[in-house]
Amino acid sequence: MDDTEYGRFVDWDKMEGGGQEQSTKVLSCTDFQDLKQMARQGHWAKSHSLRAKVYQKLIKEIPCRTVTPDASVYRDIVGKIVGKRPASSLPLPEFVDDRQIPSYCLNSEGIGAVRKIITCISNQFPDISFCPALPSLVALLLHYSQDEAECFENVSRILACNDPNRRLVDQTFLAFESSCMTFGDLAGKYCQGPHKLMVAVSEDVLEVYSDWQRWIFGELPFAYITRVFDVFLVEGYKVLFRVALALLKFFHKVRGGQPMESNNVKRDIQMFVRDLNQCVAPEKLLEKAFAIRLFSRKEIQLLQMANEKALQQKGITVKQKRVQSPVRQNVHLAVHAENFKSEIVSVKEMRDIWSWIPERFALSQPLLLYTNREHGNSLSRFYLHCEGHEPTLLLIKTTNQEVCGAFLSTDWSERRRSGNKLSFFGTGECFVFRLQPEVERYEWVVIKHPELGKVNASSGDNDANSSQSAKDGIDPSDRLSPFLATRHFNLPSKSASMFMAGSTDCIIIGGGDGQALYFDSDLNYGRTSHCNTFNNQPLCSETFQISIIEVWGFKDNVNNDGAHSALP
């Protein structure tokens, strides 16, 4: 074997490969881009000892709280905490959520050591309330540690990271559940085929997605989790989203055509990931993961903040002792068959739409704000009933029985900021769709073509933006910066961000070389065409007469001058 220094806890008969000594230049590398490339290319993947040394180097560079427990603390406390009890009898803390310890390639001494280390971490980190990834994290690092104390110190440094821009491991239920919602949002945007399958075969799609971290920290075979961890230590949390999305794509590719039972989908994905070596090599998994062109780290951070805020507003901050996820008790419960009534869409169609909208809004039930059948055909009545609500869902049925609509991220009152001038507003979460004659959804063009809007590094919540918010009577802490706000991107032209506009004369949704939807002031006639913002096909007949319009809001998402906006 290539190593005895870092092999005390390893069952070498279970380890694949190993033994090749590689260049140690990585140990002196200080350039992030070089390190990133080496991690992705598996520079240290074939040498157990080199990987161990790289892990030590990378973990020692993590900025931590001033008082972070180290190896000497472990040596001081382990005897007092564990005592003479056999390691196998040590109960795991509640915060690991009944997660089992993956044995990976550990020997019997290593498996016992994981329990001892977790028990001591629980003692030293009383603020941890929910951390199901911990058993896998400890077990993984123990393979590359000289002794238990060193492993304890390395895990402690990861848990004690205090860089606000470097998220590593979720340690509260609020952080964990908002990560699940964020993964659901990303799956809906970047894995539309797999997401559609999950919605079709599962009663609660978010319950399926609540396992996304378990796929990585728990189910992935050792040769795969080590490669993921190589990159994770360099690039951070975003890597985990990429890998989980790639796993979902592979599952859809391999299992999509096979029959599935709704109550077994979670188990089916777990088994697929566990047996991944039968169909996908580790490097292919990473290749697929990095081919997904995700939002910037800043945008994902904003989305995570928005999801956390939505959970806090709902009072969901601790795990409930019940079988079903306490967050979104699925679209079937959000859209109740017994009390949902629309003249345009069926309950099933509304549930399909609900599966497209951002997770933080899907926490809420639909609330009918406006219908021309009841409130009259005029834009003034439309605005009267819709202003103060954010976001909204617009549904249209034409006299030819075509059905289309739009999800609109922003309160219609924003139109007044430009006085009488027609100007566009909204964010990249807006999308347009048609349901009849066939279902098709069109999202912001930048989501599928990120090269059109490279991230604006100088954007953000600067003093000018905060001052403007203060002038407008909005508390900046309540409206930090909406997820996918156009000012975060260097767009080639305004036509790539013409989301929604309204005046006393018309409403326009989507612009640039055409309009996805246009209505006149009487809400009688409309037209639709391709537009640059959504890169859509016409949503129905290019000119049409409106039969019914409905606007739906989201219960509890009332925007009183920004104070209760669901956006951060």
Side-chain angles (χ1 to χ4, degrees):
M1 250 329 108
D2 72 327
D3 195 277
T4 53
E5 186 183 4
Y6 296 100
R8 173 180 164 186
F9 303 104
V10 175
D11 182 342
W12 292 105
D13 292 335
K14 295 179 182 175
M15 288 286 279
E16 294 178 16
Q20 282 182 259
E21 195 56 56
Q22 292 173 288
S23 168
T24 58
K25 67 178 182 179
V26 62
L27 297 175
S28 56
C29 178
T30 56
D31 182 82
F32 174 75
Q33 289 302 326
D34 289 346
L35 205 55
K36 179 175 163 181
Q37 283 305 112
M38 284 191 273
R40 291 191 181 190
Q41 291 166 5
H43 182 82
W44 54 83
K46 292 181 181 175
S47 168
H48 188 85
S49 61
L50 181 58
R51 179 179 260 150
K53 290 168 185 171
V54 171
Y55 283 3
Q56 301 294 328
K57 163 189 162 66
L58 294 175
I59 291 171
K60 275 187 167 52
E61 291 171 357
I62 294 173
C64 295
R65 298 194 288 260
T66 308
V67 181
T68 297
D70 58 13
S72 63
V73 169
Y74 182 81
R75 296 187 187 102
D76 286 344
I77 65 173
V78 65
K80 301 168 192 170
I81 293 172
V82 175
K84 295 182 179 179
R85 290 178 292 171
S88 60
S89 70
L90 294 172
L92 293 177
E94 266 191 46
F95 63 64
V96 304
D97 195 37
D98 296 325
R99 200 62 60 85
Q100 297 303 304
I101 296 172
S103 57
Y104 294 136
C105 300
L106 293 175
N107 57 27
S108 56
E109 183 188 2
I111 293 168
V114 173
R115 284 186 176 270
K116 290 163 68 176
I117 294 166
I118 292 175
T119 301
C120 291
I121 285 172
S122 178
N123 172 269
Q124 291 294 300
F125 288 84
D127 291 342
I128 296 179
S129 59
F130 197 79
C131 190
L134 188 62
S136 174
L137 183 63
V138 174
L140 172 62
L141 283 173
L142 196 57
H143 291 75
Y144 301 98
S145 301
Q146 295 183 36
D147 56 26
E148 293 171 16
E150 185 176 83
C151 181
F152 171 85
E153 178 173 326
N154 286 336
V155 175
S156 294
R157 290 191 66 83
I158 290 171
L159 293 171
C161 174
N162 64 356
D163 182 346
N165 296 313
R166 191 172 182 183
R167 186 187 186 117
L168 290 176
V169 180
D170 294 330
Q171 298 172 48
T172 67
F173 183 72
L174 180 64
F176 174 85
E177 204 67 29
S178 64
S179 292
C180 294
M181 292 168 67
T182 301
F183 178 76
D185 286 325
L186 297 176
K189 292 189 182 305
Y190 293 101
C191 301
Q192 291 191 11
H195 181 66
K196 188 176 180 180
L197 175 68
M198 292 300 105
V199 172
V201 301
S202 62
E203 291 184 0
D204 182 352
V205 72
L206 192 58
E207 186 68 20
V208 174
Y209 291 155
S210 69
D211 256 5
W212 79 273
Q213 288 190 32
R214 179 179 182 156
W215 304 341
I216 300 170
F217 292 114
E219 305 298 348
L220 265 185
F222 186 70
Y224 295 75
I225 181 62
T226 48
R227 286 296 290 117
V228 172
F229 202 72
D230 291 344
V231 189
F232 167 74
L233 278 181
V234 176
E235 298 186 43
Y237 200 90
K238 188 176 171 183
V239 169
L240 304 182
F241 282 131
R242 287 184 181 280
V243 171
L245 290 170
L247 289 170
L248 193 61
K249 283 176 176 281
F250 278 123
F251 176 78
H252 177 247
K253 181 180 180 181
V254 174
R255 292 290 313 276
Q258 301 173 20
M260 277 180 267
E261 296 178 27
S262 62
N263 57 340
N264 289 330
V265 177
K266 284 181 72 169
R267 188 201 64 190
D268 288 348
I269 298 178
Q270 287 171 18
M271 291 178 66
F272 173 79
V273 175
R274 212 173 297 161
D275 299 330
L276 196 64
N277 55 7
Q278 295 180 11
C279 57
V280 181
E283 298 310 314
K284 285 291 180 187
L285 175 64
L286 289 182
E287 189 181 302
K288 173 77 80 174
F290 289 108
I292 300 169
R293 304 178 71 179
L294 275 186
F295 300 129
S296 69
R297 182 181 288 127
K298 172 178 177 173
E299 288 302 321
I300 291 176
Q301 206 171 10
L302 286 169
L303 178 56
Q304 189 90 3
M305 286 167 57
N307 285 333
E308 284 194 12
K309 183 169 183 179
L311 287 167
Q312 288 171 322
Q313 288 175 340
K314 294 283 183 182
I316 301 169
T317 56
V318 295
K319 185 174 175 63
Q320 308 295 310
K321 292 190 179 295
R322 59 182 178 187
V323 177
Q324 196 172 41
S325 165
V327 183
R328 181 172 77 179
Q329 286 85 41
N330 67 64
V331 293
H332 294 264
L333 293 180
V335 183
H336 290 285
E338 58 273 14
N339 60 16
F340 173 76
K341 188 177 179 183
S342 165
E343 294 186 76
I344 299 179
V345 295
S346 66
V347 170
K348 182 188 179 305
E349 287 171 325
M350 193 62 152
R351 286 173 177 168
D352 286 343
I353 296 169
W354 229 244
S355 75
W356 298 338
I357 64 176
E359 295 287 354
R360 64 190 184 278
F361 302 125
L363 292 169
S364 305
Q365 294 175 9
L367 174 69
L368 185 62
L369 303 176
Y370 166 84
T371 168
N372 61 335
R373 291 282 175 93
E374 181 182 340
H375 301 113
N377 280 59
S378 77
L379 268 182
S380 59
R381 302 289 293 171
F382 176 97
Y383 293 135
L384 178 66
H385 288 276
C386 298
E387 287 181 2
H389 293 269
E390 178 180 292
T392 54
L393 180 69
L394 174 70
L395 298 175
I396 303 127
K397 189 171 192 175
T398 73
T399 52
N400 290 333
Q401 306 305 301
E402 301 156 306
V403 175
C404 59
F407 173 80
L408 303 167
S409 66
T410 308
D411 190 333
W412 278 106
S413 64
E414 289 280 318
R415 67 192 173 85
R416 295 208 205 96
R417 288 179 184 253
S418 302
N420 295 322
K421 181 185 172 187
L422 186 71
S423 65
F424 284 90
F425 54 96
T427 72
E429 286 194 292
C430 293
F431 61 83
V432 295
F433 58 89
R434 64 167 173 260
L435 295 179
Q436 300 289 346
E438 70 277 331
V439 178
E440 193 68 56
R441 173 174 51 137
Y442 300 96
E443 296 195 282
W444 186 27
V445 65
V446 172
I447 291 172
K448 285 191 176 177
H449 299 282
E451 69 278 5
L452 294 177
K454 291 184 178 178
V455 175
N456 186 349
S458 63
S459 74
D461 307 306
N462 54 34
D463 293 339
N465 290 329
S466 299
S467 301
Q468 184 60 46
S469 294
K471 286 178 187 174
D472 295 331
I474 297 173
D475 181 350
S477 66
D478 278 329
R479 293 294 296 276
L480 289 174
S481 183
F483 173 56
L484 297 187
T486 54
R487 68 171 177 269
H488 299 171
F489 300 85
N490 288 320
L491 298 169
S493 68
K494 287 188 176 180
S495 68
S497 61
M498 294 179 169
F499 300 113
M500 51 192 291
S503 67
T504 54
D505 299 320
C506 66
I507 277 178
I508 298 173
I509 297 164
D513 294 335
Q515 295 154 348
L517 285 169
Y518 170 95
F519 311 128
D520 62 19
S521 60
D522 295 326
L523 299 181
N524 278 325
Y525 291 93
R527 59 178 182 262
T528 176
S529 65
H530 168 272
C531 76
N532 293 340
T533 297
F534 298 113
N535 192 28
N536 60 289
Q537 295 301 310
L539 302 178
C540 57
S541 303
E542 294 198 22
T543 57
F544 57 88
Q545 186 171 359
I546 296 167
S547 173
I548 311 170
I549 289 187
E550 292 176 353
V551 179
W552 293 82
F554 299 76
K555 285 185 181 176
D556 302 326
N557 283 337
V558 179
N559 182 19
N560 297 324
D561 291 328
H564 299 290
S565 170
L567 284 170

